[in-house]
Amino acid sequence: MSNEEAALVERAQQGDPAAFSEIYDRHQPAIYRYISFRVGGTAAAEDLTSEVFVRVVGRIDRFKYRGRPLLAWLYTIARNLVTDHHRRVGRHTVTPLDEARPAPGEGPEARAERHLAELGVVRALGALTEEQRQVILLKFVEGMDSAEMAGLLGKTVGSVKALQHRALAALRRAMDAEEEGSRR
Amino acid sequence: MRRPLRELLDECLARTLSGEATAEECLQLYPEQADELRPLLEAATDVRQAQVPACDPAAYAAGKRRMLEALASRPLPARTSVPRALVLRRALVLAAAIFVIAAAGLLLPGWPTAEIDRQATLANAGGLVQVLPVGDDAWRAALVGERFESGDRIRTAASATAVLAFFDGSTTWLEPETEVTLAAMSSRRDGGERTTSLFQWSGATFSRVRPLPDQDSRFEIETATALAAVRGTEFALRIQEDGATLVTVNEGAVRVTGGRATVEVGELEETAVEPGGDPEPPRPAALPAPTPELPVPERLPDPPTPTRTTAPPAPTATALQPEETKDPGLVEYERTPAPVDSEITLQPFERTVLPHPIERTVTPVAVDIGKTPEPTAVIKTPAPAGTLVPVDKTETAQPALSPEPTRTPEAKPTEALALSPEPSSSPEVKPKKTNVPPGQTKTPPGQATKTPAAAANP
């Protein structure tokens, strides 16, 4: 966590609304993307993302700097909420990521094909361990390199690379199993 | 020399993600490893092709508004100093109010049925057990006797085991490399409607569940692929390498749900649930699930009381951390709750060599390295205490912020500790305090050991 972020957290801990707004503007998109890939479905992702920041308000006093950025803490809250969500609705009700939004110039067939592929990715991600899933999302959705992920996850660069390797191998297996299942 | 696959993969991913090269071009650079790299890069391509979701602007604004409303309704922290007499008077008034409310509550018809949160206790542990308290962002070592709340996550390191004792007398053993979230623990005030719910992320558990008092009570363990719900039984749940969940029932019955189906698994039966699939029909178990060896104490241990009488050594002192548990905010030290034979005192920026058998009897504790080290730390061991070795202060300046700590996953704990191969041959430093001279031990190596920071858990 940079000094600047530490100062921002301190302002938030003193109840400064502008500091909370800044935290929201900085991190809401990443938290929303993480949750979307975990639960699918726009409405559920929006609700859970909103709940993350409500919890931030209630718990910011408990946040202590331990060498990891604020975003890591937000991911922790998001992960716990996603777990609760899965418990409530059952684990197999994942819906496609963004059904309502066609890509530019995309026909209905291509769109349907893309939805199926995305659904496969989301389901395959569900078969990974939490750490594997997080490293995949940070790498390919957030565009972080291994050093950035190491800082966020509290690991060495070497162990992040090893985790990334295991995660992709597990994802490949899960996606193959998905394809196999859909062919039957 | 052939580079590790993980390095090549990382390099290929960096090149393809930056647009510098295509996956095929990367594979041509490493023809020997192309067969291994290809499926991994294909999986990466599939993920990249998934459309990145973006939040609807109206939902974005609504979320922000909700957060600020929560902030506005939050009680302000007290900032003014209050005279001591007034504080006492307020405390008395508050105590009286609590007494009146409690007395009234006893008479209210709904009071016995009110739902209250319950806890679990770390009843026993062998090896490194860690907890991630709900809302926290850093794992820390858990101590025997520690109470956990709903939402806390618990995990065991390689070769470590733990026993969780729940509020209703049920117990769950955690095998090595197991991680669970205590998703919910509650009951009515009168003890009815007990809920104990775990989410098992990895590894293997063995549960002995007390008979549940009513139809609304439940004990369940959920995984990524299955939900196992029981009503008083003994069963094991293992997440296999391929992500499938295997449930084996020793006594009673377990209802296992996965996909869109539910099966009831009876005594000495088992079932497996593949990722995304329905549970397989129950089949006879080859053997009952073995009862874990780690004993459950008859009386639950008292919660640990943190004290700072013995402080942790400087942060760079030799740390024991499995690769997956490394956290830049934590350094873990060894400790076992056993008798002590020798003792040395560490001053800041000193470290010591510990005897080999200690690695088999450790229960670590965590030390927040963000805090200033206390003046001294005491290390107690059954074998000859090591020789103090001063630590280079420049080396300790930023231990946790280095992106590549010097510890390697391959290094065994004793190797990491072996700063001085011949403890007694180092003339420049001596133990500050020794109860038993080096070389004379009361207990054989490999038994009881105790090291510092027993009470330094933040």
Side-chain angles (χ1 to χ4, degrees):
Chain A
M1 191 163 72
S2 64
N3 289 341
E4 191 264 333
E5 188 173 63
L8 179 66
V9 168
E10 199 176 330
R11 279 170 50 213
Q13 287 174 331
Q14 288 164 357
D16 180 357
F20 279 101
S21 290
E22 200 170 332
I23 289 172
Y24 187 87
D25 292 339
R26 273 188 200 184
H27 299 304
Q28 193 272 0
I31 295 299
Y32 176 78
R33 286 191 290 269
Y34 169 79
I35 292 177
S36 293
F37 270 100
R38 296 295 315 279
V39 303
T42 310
E46 286 169 357
D47 286 350
L48 290 174
T49 306
S50 167
E51 182 62 26
V52 167
F53 288 92
V54 170
R55 291 205 179 184
V56 167
V57 169
R59 293 179 181 167
I60 192 75
D61 292 341
R62 292 167 59 181
F63 177 78
K64 284 181 188 159
Y65 172 52
R66 288 198 177 98
R68 289 166 70 184
L70 178 67
L71 182 59
W73 186 59
L74 300 181
Y75 276 128
T76 303
I77 296 175
R79 188 183 59 207
N80 290 343
L81 282 170
V82 166
T83 303
D84 290 346
H85 172 79
H86 281 153
R87 286 189 42 72
R88 279 197 306 273
V89 303
R91 295 200 64 77
H92 306 292
T93 53
V94 173
T95 50
L97 280 178
D98 206 352
E99 222 159 353
R101 220 164 286 155
E106 192 178 41
E109 263 184 40
R111 187 174 147 197
E113 201 171 304
R114 177 172 62 81
H115 286 154
L116 282 176
E118 286 175 354
L119 187 56
V121 170
V122 172
R123 281 188 173 151
L125 282 171
L128 271 53
T129 67
E130 176 58 28
E131 281 190 331
Q132 290 173 347
R133 191 162 36 228
Q134 194 156 18
V135 94
I136 293 284
L137 294 179
L138 292 178
K139 184 83 174 187
F140 300 109
V141 178
E142 299 306 320
M144 290 188 185
D145 62 26
S146 297
E148 288 171 311
M149 288 194 289
L152 194 69
L153 298 172
K155 292 178 177 296
T156 65
V157 173
S159 65
V160 162
K161 287 177 182 174
L163 181 59
Q164 174 179 268
H165 180 193
R166 289 197 300 273
L168 277 173
L171 188 68
R172 179 74 272 163
R173 283 196 301 273
M175 288 166 83
D176 288 346
E178 273 288 322
E179 281 176 18
E180 186 89 3
S182 61
R183 273 203 295 270
R184 276 181 204 160
Chain B
M1 195 175 74
R2 188 173 157 146
R3 288 172 65 197
L5 192 63
R6 66 173 185 232
E7 297 289 341
L8 298 183
L9 175 65
D10 194 60
E11 185 187 318
C12 289
L13 290 175
R15 287 181 174 210
T16 52
L17 288 172
S18 67
E20 190 185 316
T22 64
E24 279 305 321
E25 286 167 348
C26 280
L27 293 173
Q28 283 167 14
L29 286 176
Y30 305 106
E32 283 183 21
Q33 288 95 350
D35 286 347
E36 292 171 279
L37 282 172
R38 184 182 301 280
L40 304 175
L41 294 179
E42 283 173 357
T45 305
D46 286 347
V47 179
R48 287 173 60 198
Q49 282 173 349
Q51 194 179 39
V52 175
C55 190
D56 179 69
Y60 180 91
K64 193 176 198 175
R65 201 166 47 243
R66 194 176 156 217
M67 176 188 73
L68 293 174
E69 282 168 3
L71 179 66
S73 62
R74 193 178 73 156
L76 288 172
R79 291 188 189 174
T80 52
S81 60
V82 181
R84 195 171 172 167
L86 191 55
V87 170
L88 277 174
R89 208 166 74 186
R90 283 182 182 174
L92 283 173
V93 170
L94 186 64
I98 289 171
F99 176 80
V100 170
I101 291 168
L106 285 169
L107 303 174
L108 290 175
W111 188 84
T113 58
E115 185 180 293
I116 52 175
D117 289 334
R118 298 291 191 177
Q119 293 180 317
T121 302
L122 181 59
N124 204 349
L128 171 57
V129 181
Q130 291 185 306
V131 57
L132 177 65
V134 60
D136 230 339
D137 67 340
W139 289 90
R140 61 171 174 76
L143 299 176
V144 170
E146 188 166 348
R147 267 54 166 170
F148 303 128
E149 296 177 355
S150 298
D152 289 352
R153 281 172 78 138
I154 321 293
R155 70 182 180 190
T156 51
S159 77
T161 55
V163 186
L164 296 176
F166 295 99
F167 63 97
D168 65 345
S170 298
T171 42
T172 293
W173 281 259
L174 273 53
E175 298 289 310
E177 293 185 318
T178 296
E179 183 170 335
V180 297
T181 293
L182 304 173
M185 293 179 294
S186 65
S187 78
R188 293 191 331 200
R189 202 177 291 276
D190 64 2
E193 289 185 22
R194 292 178 195 164
T195 296
T196 305
S197 181
L198 278 65
F199 190 94
Q200 186 171 329
W201 300 94
S202 60
T205 55
F206 181 94
S207 298
R208 189 169 285 156
V209 183
R210 284 283 176 87
L212 301 176
D214 51 55
Q215 287 295 321
D216 295 322
S217 294
R218 61 197 169 102
F219 182 102
E220 59 190 29
I221 300 181
E222 189 180 5
T223 71
T225 63
L227 173 68
V230 304
R231 298 196 52 77
T233 188
E234 191 177 282
F235 74 107
L237 192 152
R238 178 177 295 275
I239 298 173
Q240 297 175 310
E241 283 278 310
D242 60 358
T245 298
L246 179 69
V247 180
T248 308
V249 178
N250 282 8
E251 288 176 25
V254 176
R255 193 167 293 162
V256 179
T257 303
R260 293 186 179 82
T262 297
V263 298
E264 186 145 325
V265 186
E267 209 156 291
L268 296 178
E269 286 185 336
E270 65 183 17
T271 185
V273 189
E274 301 288 337
D278 294 343
E280 293 173 359
R283 56 181 182 253
L287 289 169
T291 307
E293 291 174 3
L294 195 64
V296 185
E298 283 184 15
R299 181 181 165 276
L300 285 181
D302 293 329
T305 47
T307 77
R308 301 286 295 186
T309 52
T310 57
T316 49
T318 50
L320 280 180
Q321 288 192 61
E323 182 190 358
E324 291 298 321
T325 63
K326 282 177 186 167
D327 185 312
L330 292 177
V331 176
E332 286 142 12
Y333 295 88
E334 305 167 295
R335 180 183 73 89
T336 61
V340 174
D341 285 317
S342 66
E343 179 177 310
I344 59 173
T345 303
L346 290 183
Q347 298 297 328
F349 304 109
E350 288 180 342
R351 58 187 172 196
T352 187
V353 180
L354 297 175
H356 176 78
I358 200 167
E359 69 173 289
R360 283 178 293 184
T361 58
V362 298
T363 301
V365 293
V367 179
D368 187 342
I369 65 166
K371 295 175 183 169
T372 308
E374 304 253 339
T376 61
V378 179
I379 289 186
K380 299 169 182 180
T381 76
T387 303
L388 294 177
V389 180
V391 178
D392 183 356
K393 293 185 184 185
T394 57
E395 185 190 343
T396 67
Q398 291 290 333
L401 301 179
S402 164
E404 286 280 10
T406 52
R407 295 190 301 269
T408 61
E410 292 76 25
K412 294 176 183 173
T414 45
E415 290 168 349
L417 292 164
L419 304 172
S420 170
E422 293 180 14
S424 59
S425 66
S426 180
E428 68 276 16
V429 282
K430 294 176 183 173
K432 301 283 181 187
K433 181 182 173 186
T434 305
N435 290 344
V436 177
Q440 296 175 22
T441 59
K442 289 176 186 171
T443 52
Q447 290 185 13
T449 60
K450 184 171 181 180
T451 58
N457 190 21

